[in-house]
Amino acid sequence: MRHLKLEIDAQGIALLTIDAADRPMNVLMPEMEAELAEVVAQVRGDQAIRGLIIVSGKANGFIAGADLKEFVEAYERGTTPEQGAERSRKFQRLFRDLETCGKPVAIAMNGLALGGGLELCLAGHYRVLGDNPKAVVGLPECGIGLLPGAGGTQRLPRLIGVEAALPMMLAGRHVKPAEALKLGIVHELAAPGDEVAAARRWLESGPDPRQPWDRPGFSAAPAAEFVAETRERTLRDTHGNYPAPLAILNCVEEGVPLPIDAGLEVEARNFGQLLAGPVARNLIRTTFINRGLADKLARRPKGVDKQPAQKLAVLGAGMMGGGIAFAAAQAGIPVVLLDAGADLAAAARDAIAARLAQDVAKGRLAQDKADALLARIVPTADYALLADCDFAIEAVLEDAAVKAQVIARAEAALPATAVFASNTSALPIGGLARTAQRPERFVGMHFFSPVERMALVEIIAAAATTPQTVARAFDLAGQLRKTPILVNDGPGFYSTRVVNAYINEGLQLLRQGVAPALIEDAARQAGMPVGPLALADEVSLDLGLRIAREVAGDAAGHGCAAVLERMVGEARRAGRKSGGGFYDYPAGAPKQLWSGLAGLYPPAPVQPAVAEVKQRLLYAQALEAARCVENGVVTHMADADLGSLLGWGFPSWTGGALSLIDTLGLPVFVAECRYLAERHGAHFAPSAWLQAKAARGESFYPPLG
């Protein structure tokens, strides 16, 4: 066997070691499944075997779950619900054979056991978990659009109760050792390295090799009221966009009251429906596979030696500059934080100190570590302190003239070998680079606010930017633990262009008499974190107006700059930073839509359906993302999808802006865009390029070979 090793000692105790060949961590896969079936048959049939202990041969944990690529390929190869259900049944039968083999089975878990890994453990009669801080157990399948399909939805509720198991599965929550013991997920905690010894002691006690649910009189029927309340809350939170939570609820409500084998069949049917649907494929491909590749810097130029930043200059100590400095200091990088006045730079450092003090007070950070982090940040107004910085990021006012002045002064002080990055959100990098002495060392690094929480950084290469410079930007992104995407230069790059399309569609709806509350509610029901009017307030309406003019002279804004001009000029409302925009922000109370909007843009007597508003808001973004591909701004589909999910919260159930189009199918998307263009404006008209792509039956992602 390639992945398993079975050893039987003189006392008849069999030790099964799982060690996936050519994998850094154990994952369940078809080849391992077949080997495990052989072992179970041997344990059942060999009278010399008194009991079985299952352990991991990997030092980093037990089993991390299933091979996610298999699930992506299942959808793309046209898996039917029945085929998906049969995939579930195969593992169910295997684990059922294990727990009914007539021999006691103990699981010695040396670390994390997630998804199918925990489901295997639950099929054992006794579970020992190593008491180490990196050990966690959980069933996180809901987060990838699936459900635990190897018995997890049936065994966990029967083991720890529905009221504990259901929220855990719906949230995909990881549980640490102490809680796992308290809940009853595991029977015993052992010191790291003693898991097998503890499992052996249990086997030597002559235990009953039956699960609780296989004993007479067992019952675990869920409380109807609890399930109903959970279903109502789940629908409210997900707006029905994510089928997995509802499928898990179905499994628990319908399956747990039944005998275990009947309950497993309920689970298999629900799993098959999810595997045959697009949401699981979308979530897995973008949020796990493609994000994992991006975090490993897969798009970094090849053949360039790694060169991490040794000392960072951050020019501009505002919210963005302060956030970048904080992230760099967290990563262990010394930072010179420069602003026009030393007091401004010091105030930014003081704000960071206040955040660190809160973390210390709440026990999240040790005082010595907070002190060391803060010591890495040197606030100043003196450009001479940049002399030994090998990387600089400017984060000053979004004004080309102001940026040009800062670039000139900084370059005069920086070493000639330093890389210079601009954190602009819309100004073309090529234009800024023309003001620089060394345009080949100039690159865009667009961070997202708040920097310390937002994972994405958009790296923008201009025509003169060398691969070596791009590589160094990727290296810094890796140091900062950010997820980088690579896009080409152009007004608004990728993220700002598509966000602008979203905001503009919200403004267009407002101009057309759609009630502001309907616009915002429809956006949230579609899965956006905030509505377009709220997002416009966060960006700030005056900046949004400047971007609308700079990106395309409002050619793509279909007159929406007029709405911003009216809000900023006539109503004197520039967004949240000024105290009010489309929303009011009362002290100590939730924001609320500004009542004066009705006077500026009275709602029409007849309002559109919510579904129509949702479609317009999502399609406006997807269409602009497609234009970015057509224009060569985006050359890698995964970058577009990751950027949309991580940058501004495009609904994850879609997999991203381009995955939404592929899920619909290009011919369907193009036809629906034509319909929207006829009804709501030429900005929805698909280009000749997109129409030709649809006519050829193409998609944005290449089909499986």
Side-chain angles (χ1 to χ4, degrees):
M1 295 186 290
R2 289 190 71 231
H3 308 290
L4 307 181
K5 182 173 74 170
L6 185 66
E7 301 168 285
I8 306 168
D9 67 15
Q11 287 74 44
I13 303 299
L15 182 69
L16 175 64
T17 303
I18 300 175
D19 193 352
D22 306 321
R23 299 284 186 123
M25 184 172 286
N26 284 331
V27 293
L28 294 175
M29 44 193 166
E31 188 178 346
M32 184 185 291
E33 175 189 350
E35 293 181 8
L36 186 56
E38 290 180 28
V39 170
V40 172
Q42 182 177 347
V43 170
R44 178 189 293 273
D46 189 341
Q47 296 303 312
I49 296 177
R50 295 173 44 233
L52 173 66
I53 300 174
I54 302 178
V55 301
S56 167
K58 306 288 188 187
N60 56 3
F62 187 70
I63 298 177
D67 186 348
L68 296 181
K69 290 181 181 178
E70 178 192 351
F71 296 140
V72 171
E73 292 177 358
Y75 173 79
E76 296 189 350
R77 295 193 190 283
T79 294
T80 66
E82 177 54 29
Q83 289 170 331
E86 186 56 30
R87 185 76 192 94
S88 173
R89 291 185 193 110
K90 288 182 69 177
F91 266 113
Q92 288 178 346
R93 287 192 290 264
L94 174 58
F95 292 172
R96 191 75 177 121
D97 287 346
L98 177 66
E99 70 183 1
T100 60
C101 71
K103 312 289 177 68
V105 178
I107 315 293
M109 307 152 64
N110 65 320
L112 65 83
L114 299 174
L118 180 58
E119 289 180 287
L120 170 59
C121 296
L122 295 177
H125 303 104
Y126 195 79
R127 290 168 293 281
V128 179
L129 177 60
D131 192 7
N132 78 71
K134 293 184 179 180
V136 290
V137 300
L139 297 174
E141 288 88 347
C142 191
I144 58 171
L146 292 172
L147 56 78
T153 69
Q154 302 305 300
R155 289 191 179 89
L156 190 64
R158 284 171 167 80
L159 186 67
I160 68 173
V162 170
E163 293 193 5
L166 187 52
M168 182 175 159
M169 290 189 291
L170 292 175
R173 191 166 65 88
H174 294 180
V175 173
K176 290 184 177 295
E179 187 182 1
L181 180 65
K182 182 179 179 181
L183 287 171
I185 299 173
V186 300
H187 298 89
E188 182 180 349
L189 299 184
D194 291 342
E195 299 91 353
V196 172
R200 178 178 287 275
R201 284 194 297 271
W202 176 78
L203 284 177
E204 290 172 347
S205 70
D208 182 355
R210 289 183 300 169
Q211 295 283 29
W213 41 86
D214 286 327
R215 295 173 186 170
F218 178 83
S219 176
E225 185 178 349
F226 172 75
V227 173
E229 289 174 354
T230 304
R231 185 180 297 276
E232 181 181 351
R233 184 168 57 252
T234 299
L235 280 168
R236 184 177 65 245
D237 293 345
T238 66
H239 303 290
N241 294 320
Y242 298 85
L246 300 176
I248 291 172
L249 277 157
N250 291 342
C251 291
V252 171
E253 184 175 29
E254 299 171 18
V256 171
L258 301 174
I260 184 71
D261 292 308
L264 290 171
E265 179 57 25
V266 173
E267 177 184 274
R269 291 198 306 268
N270 278 276
F271 181 87
Q273 291 288 343
L274 296 176
L275 191 62
V279 173
R281 186 281 306 267
N282 291 342
L283 284 165
I284 295 169
R285 183 171 66 185
T286 299
T287 62
F288 284 85
I289 295 175
N290 288 340
R291 183 172 183 182
L293 291 170
D295 287 342
K296 293 175 182 174
L297 310 185
R299 296 275 284 135
R300 184 184 186 274
K302 309 300 180 189
V304 180
D305 290 340
K306 191 171 183 179
Q307 191 174 350
Q310 300 301 313
K311 189 172 185 180
L312 181 67
V314 178
L315 315 174
M319 181 174 66
M320 291 299 293
I324 295 167
F326 186 28
Q330 283 180 310
I333 304 171
V335 182
V336 175
L337 180 57
L338 183 145
D339 210 307
D343 56 336
L344 297 174
R349 187 177 182 272
D350 290 344
I352 293 170
R355 275 186 281 181
L356 293 173
Q358 289 180 350
D359 287 343
V360 171
K362 293 178 180 178
R364 294 195 294 253
L365 185 67
Q367 185 64 58
D368 59 338
K369 291 186 177 179
D371 293 342
L373 191 156
L374 197 62
R376 296 186 192 108
I377 302 173
V378 177
T380 186
D382 185 1
Y383 279 84
L385 294 187
L386 308 185
D388 59 347
C389 293
D390 61 332
F391 205 115
I393 301 175
E394 69 81 7
V396 300
L397 185 67
E398 194 76 352
D399 182 290
V402 173
K403 288 182 182 292
Q405 292 175 1
V406 171
I407 291 167
R409 292 191 66 185
E411 279 196 318
L414 287 163
T417 55
V419 165
F420 199 107
S422 173
N423 179 53
T424 177
S425 60
L427 298 174
I429 295 301
L432 294 174
R434 282 193 290 274
T435 70
Q437 296 177 23
R438 297 176 285 275
E440 72 282 358
R441 292 184 174 273
F442 200 97
V443 68
M445 289 189 76
H446 178 204
F447 292 84
F448 293 76
S449 182
V451 177
E452 58 271 24
R453 291 207 304 269
M454 297 293 281
L456 187 72
V457 60
E458 191 176 28
I459 296 175
I460 306 105
T465 310
T466 64
Q468 289 76 16
T469 298
V470 172
R472 288 190 62 186
F474 269 91
D475 291 340
L476 178 60
Q479 289 176 272
L480 300 180
R481 301 178 184 87
K482 299 298 181 185
T483 301
I485 64 171
L486 179 63
V487 302
N488 290 320
D489 198 13
F493 322 125
Y494 171 67
S495 61
T496 301
R497 273 182 62 171
V498 184
V499 168
N500 206 42
Y502 174 53
I503 292 174
N504 278 346
E505 195 57 32
L507 301 182
Q508 179 78 323
L509 287 159
L510 186 67
R511 290 176 70 232
Q512 292 173 349
V514 179
L518 174 55
I519 298 169
E520 300 293 89
D521 288 346
R524 288 190 292 270
Q525 288 183 43
M528 296 295 297
V530 296
L533 304 182
L535 184 57
D537 270 5
E538 296 294 336
V539 171
S540 81
L541 306 190
D542 50 351
L543 176 59
L545 179 59
R546 192 179 307 130
I547 289 172
R549 291 167 174 164
E550 288 168 349
V551 167
D554 202 40
H558 39 76
C560 290
V563 177
L564 299 175
E565 287 173 343
R566 195 172 185 191
M567 288 291 293
V568 174
E570 180 182 331
R572 303 295 179 187
R573 298 178 69 87
R576 184 163 196 163
K577 69 175 185 181
S578 68
F582 292 110
Y583 282 79
D584 284 324
Y585 300 90
K591 67 184 179 185
Q592 54 194 21
L593 282 162
W594 175 46
S595 59
L597 268 181
L600 292 179
Y601 297 100
V606 179
Q607 293 289 301
V610 172
E612 180 182 327
V613 179
K614 287 163 61 177
Q615 183 187 45
R616 287 179 62 176
L617 291 171
L618 292 182
Y619 279 35
Q621 297 175 73
L623 191 56
E624 189 62 29
R627 292 187 183 112
C628 288
V629 176
E630 180 180 359
N631 300 155
V633 171
V634 175
T635 59
H636 201 264
M637 305 311 104
D639 284 342
D641 278 346
L642 271 175
S644 61
L645 264 60
L646 299 181
W648 65 92
F650 195 78
S652 60
W653 61 268
T654 67
L658 295 183
S659 280
L660 173 63
I661 299 175
D662 275 4
T663 300
L664 292 163
L666 251 179
V668 172
F669 180 74
V670 164
E672 292 183 354
C673 283
R674 288 196 193 109
Y675 173 77
L676 291 173
E678 291 171 2
R679 293 197 63 193
H680 303 298
H683 62 288
F684 276 115
S687 69
W689 173 84
L690 194 64
Q691 293 184 68
K693 190 175 179 67
R696 292 191 297 269
E698 295 177 358
S699 59
F700 283 98
Y701 281 86
L704 289 177

